[in-house]
Amino acid sequence: QVQLVESGGGLVQAGGSLRLSCAASYRTFDNYAMGWFRQAPGKDREFVAAITWSGANTYYADSVKGRFTISRDNFKNTMYLQMNSLKPEDTAVYYCAASSFSGNYYRAPLYDYWGQGTQVTVSS
């Protein structure tokens, strides 16, 4: 059973930073591309960032480019999302996900496994 567990969410003031982590329970972690998505109340789930299995390539939504950084440590079976210069519009539940596909990382249906999510709230 593959499990993804997010942590690191919380309440932060605008302009602050948070670092999210996603711990994976499976040994074949480096076989999967990984992604972060978020969902704000009343809105659809949206792509935030993705990273290929090796970590060589990263992809970002325009809304977070230059502020967020995705990374992974395949030895620790963990992925990270460093979020800087946070804005109130970044408030959402953040989900990590794993995909066995290559490409189209912004498409949520292509991800095989999902975590339960962690709440990020940015106050103005």
Side-chain angles (χ1 to χ4, degrees), residues 38 46-50 58-70 81-87 90 94 106:
R38 67 186 181 186
E46 66 172 0
F47 170 76
V48 175
T58 57
Y59 307 85
Y60 297 94
D62 288 343
S63 59
V64 306
K65 202 171 294 183
R67 300 188 298 121
F68 291 11
T69 302
I70 189 172
L81 185 68
Q82 178 66 44
M83 306 186 294
N84 298 329
S85 302
L86 282 161
K87 305 175 181 180
D90 293 318
Y94 283 70
Y106 62 93

Side-chain angles (χ1 to χ4, degrees), residues 23-70:
S25 65
Y26 48 98
R27 295 182 178 180
T28 56
F29 178 74
D30 56 2
N31 285 355
Y32 291 84
M34 300 293 295
W36 287 99
F37 289 76
R38 67 186 181 186
Q39 187 166 19
K43 295 188 177 181
D44 293 333
R45 189 170 298 190
E46 66 172 0
F47 170 76
V48 175
I51 187 167
T52 53
W53 67 271
S54 67
N57 298 100
T58 57
Y59 307 85
Y60 297 94
D62 288 343
S63 59
V64 306
K65 202 171 294 183
R67 300 188 298 121
F68 291 11
T69 302
I70 189 172

